[in-house]
Amino acid sequence: MTPLEGDAQARSVADAVARRSYGKLVAFLAARTQDVAAAEDALSEAFASALADWPRSGCPSNPEAWLLTVARRKAIDMHRARHRHEIAAEELQVMVEGLEAAATASEIPDERLAMMFACAHPAIDAAIRAPLMLQVVLGLDAKTIASAFLTSPATMGKRLVRAKDKIRQARIPFSVPEREELADRLEAVLDAIYAAFSEGWTCPGGTDVARRDLTEEAMFLAMLVTELLPQEPEALGLLALMLHAEARRGARRQEQGKYVPLAEQDPALWDAGMIDRAETLIERASTRGVIGRYQLEAALQSAHVARCRTGRANWAEVVQLYDALFAFSGSPVVAINRALAIAEMHGAEAALAVMPELSDDARLAEYQPYWAARAELLARNGAHEEARRAYEIAIGLEGDAAVRSFLQQRQSILTT
Amino acid sequence: MEYVLLNYVNEGAFAALTKEQQEQGVAAYVSYMEALTKAGVLKGKNRLERSSSATTVRMTNGKAQVLDGPYADSKEQLGGLFVIDVPDLDAAISWAARCPAATHGVVEVRPLGNIPVAV
C-alpha cells in the first residue's frame, strides 16, 4: 500500500468510527470525568492521533477501542493538568479507576441515553438543550448548530460552553432517571429532539443544507431513544410524528419550488414506507395505554393522511384529537389548528368564534400561522377587507419565500 | 460532592403567623435537620439573623464604604443555609425539595467549590 492509500484508508476508517461511535465515546468519557468539554477534547485529540498513526502502523482491528484507550489517557492528563492547584487527588483517583475498570470490559457500554438526560436536565436552560444534544451526541460543531438556530457562532459557542460548565460544576448526573421520574424527564429529552427537528423544518424546501440535515440528525436521536427505551409510548409517538412529517416533505413543493398546502398535495408523492412505519409505531405506543402529547400529534398526522388518501372527511375525529391535545398543552397554536378543523365542519363563522384572541397571548401577534389562519377564515366568511389586512401581516412575518408567494396569491384573489 | 442549600425566605411572613403556625414551622425545620442527619449527608447548617441587621462593606478608592442593610434588597432574603454531601445534583435537588424553605420561599442549590492551595 502506498502512503497515500494508507492515508485515505485511515481517514475513511476514522470517519466511519466517528459517525457510528462519536456519541458513545463522548458519553463513556464524560460519564466518568463529569466533564463533557474535556471528553470532546480528548476524543478529538485521539482522532488526530489516529490519523497520524494509522497510515504508518495500519488500522487497528478494533478502532473504537483504540480511540478510547488514547482518549482515556488524554482525558486523565488533561484532568491532572487542570486540577493541579486544587484538592482533587482523591477525585482524580476515583475517575482514573472508573475509566480503567470500564475500559477492560469487552464492549464499550452505550451511555448515550444517560448523556441525553444530562443534556436535557431541568437545571440546564431549556433553550440550549437541543443544541447541546446535537453537539455532544452527534458531534455537530457550534457553527453548524448556530446557523440552524439562527444565532451567531460565537454566541452559540459561548452558550454551549456555559452549559457544559454547568454539568461539570453542579455535577449533573449521567444516568437514566428512576421509573417515577422517567416520564417527566423523558419529556424534556423528547422536547429538545423535537426542537432540533422543528428548526430543520423552518426550511421546509430543504434548500438550506445545514437545516435539512438537522431534521435527519433529530430523527437519528429519536430512533436512538426508541431503541434504548423501546417501551416508552411518547418516544414512539415522537418518532411517528417525525416520520409522518418527513414522509410528506417532497409533496410540499412543486417542481418550481411552489408551496403546496396539505389539502392540495398528491398522496402518491408521499413516502408510503415512512407512513407505514409511523402507523406501526403509533399502534405499538397505544398498547402501552398512556396517552401523551406526541402520540396525539402523531395521531393527528395519521388522521390527516387517512382523509387525504380516502377523500372521506374525518373532521369530528380531528377536532376531538385537538381537544385532547389542547387539554395537555393549552397552547394557542393547537387552538388555531382546532379552529381550522371546526371551519371544515361548521363553517368559518363558528371557527372565528373559537380562534384564540391576541389578548389571550401577546406572542400571537408575531406568529405567522395565526394571521394566515385568521385571514383564511375571514376570507371564507366574506370579510375581504379584514382578510386582506390579516394576509398582509402573515406575509410580513413569513421568512420562506415559497410560503410568502402562496399567501400573496391567496391575498390577491380577494375582491374589494 | 458538597452542595450548599441557600434558603431565601420572606422575613416578614413568620411574624404574621399564629403562635401555633410558628411552632409548626419551627418543628418542620427540626424534622428536616433530623432527616438530613439520619441520612448522613448533613455537613453544616446556619441560621442568619434578619437582613435588617446586615451591613455591607465595599472598598472604593481605598476607602471602606459602609452601608446599612443587605447587599440585595429583595423581598426574599437569605435566611439560612445547609451544607450537604451527596453524590450529584439530582440528590441535592431532592433534599432541596424537602426543605421547608422551598415551600414558603426559595432554595438555591450551589455546589461548593474547591479552594485552590498554593504550590
Side-chain angles (χ1 to χ4, degrees), chain A residues 173-192:
Chain A
F174 283 72
S175 59
V176 177
E178 302 289 330
R179 188 119 290 272
E180 66 264 31
E181 260 191 283
L182 185 62
D184 276 353
R185 294 280 314 276
L186 180 62
E187 197 183 328
V189 171
L190 299 179
D191 287 351

Side-chain angles (χ1 to χ4, degrees), chain A residues 10-314:
Chain A
R11 191 167 294 276
S12 92
V13 173
D15 280 349
V17 181
R19 247 197 319 279
R20 200 177 57 236
S21 318
Y22 181 87
K24 218 170 126 184
L25 295 172
V26 170
F28 178 90
L29 294 164
R32 283 158 189 81
T33 59
Q34 193 62 34
D35 193 335
V36 177
E40 289 172 325
D41 290 348
L43 192 57
S44 83
E45 282 196 33
F47 272 108
S49 304
L51 290 178
D53 185 88
W54 295 357
R56 273 189 284 118
S57 349
C59 293
S61 59
N62 186 347
E64 216 179 50
W66 191 99
L67 284 163
L68 188 59
T69 305
V70 176
R72 206 174 64 227
R73 220 159 38 223
K74 305 235 185 235
I76 293 169
D77 288 349
M78 276 180 211
H79 203 81
R80 270 202 190 106
R82 192 168 308 167
H83 297 283
R84 184 153 52 102
H85 299 297
E86 296 174 13
I87 315 161
E90 196 187 332
E91 197 186 318
L92 183 72
Q93 192 52 38
V94 171
M95 191 191 98
V96 172
E97 278 166 18
L99 283 170
E100 301 294 341
T104 53
S106 60
E107 203 173 316
I108 301 165
D110 190 347
E111 284 154 345
R112 283 176 293 184
L113 188 63
M115 189 161 69
M116 283 196 249
F117 275 105
C119 292
H121 194 277
I124 298 284
D125 175 19
I128 196 70
R129 290 174 196 165
L132 190 59
M133 265 192 219
L134 290 168
Q135 176 148 81
V136 304
V137 184
L138 301 172
L140 299 192
D141 62 16
K143 211 173 101 213
T144 309
I145 300 170
S147 110
F149 284 83
L150 297 180
T151 41
S152 78
T155 307
M156 182 56 80
K158 267 188 224 138
R159 292 175 55 214
L160 287 166
V161 168
R162 200 184 308 143
K164 289 173 203 167
D165 283 348
K166 176 78 189 257
I167 290 176
R168 178 170 51 84
Q169 287 166 348
R171 186 165 298 215
I172 289 176
F174 283 72
S175 59
V176 177
E178 302 289 330
R179 188 119 290 272
E180 66 264 31
E181 260 191 283
L182 185 62
D184 276 353
R185 294 280 314 276
L186 180 62
E187 197 183 328
V189 171
L190 299 179
D191 287 351
I193 294 173
Y194 191 52
F197 184 77
S198 307
E199 281 304 325
W201 264 93
T202 46
C203 176
T207 41
D208 184 333
V209 176
R211 290 188 158 195
R212 191 185 55 214
D213 286 351
L214 214 52
T215 64
E216 281 168 30
E217 306 288 12
M219 284 181 76
F220 177 84
L221 289 177
M223 277 180 230
L224 195 60
V225 174
T226 57
E227 265 168 42
L228 298 170
L229 287 173
Q231 305 298 333
E232 286 301 317
E234 277 295 271
L236 300 171
L238 174 63
L239 183 55
L241 168 63
M242 290 173 160
L243 283 165
H244 263 307
E246 203 55 26
R248 301 201 302 265
R249 178 187 294 280
R252 283 170 57 102
R253 286 288 189 277
Q254 281 179 349
E255 274 172 32
Q256 308 85 345
K258 213 177 128 219
Y259 169 74
V260 188
L262 176 64
E264 290 162 30
Q265 286 174 16
D266 176 4
L269 295 175
W270 296 343
D271 185 325
M274 276 196 199
I275 293 175
D276 289 347
R277 276 174 68 201
E279 293 300 310
T280 310
L281 288 166
I282 293 171
E283 200 128 306
R284 230 173 90 199
S286 72
T287 62
R288 309 294 305 167
V290 186
I291 198 70
R293 179 198 158 190
Y294 290 115
Q295 289 172 80
L296 286 167
E297 297 244 28
L300 271 162
Q301 296 295 322
S302 170
H304 289 318
V305 164
R307 185 184 62 252
C308 295
R309 275 177 167 178
T310 63
R312 264 198 309 277
N314 58 354

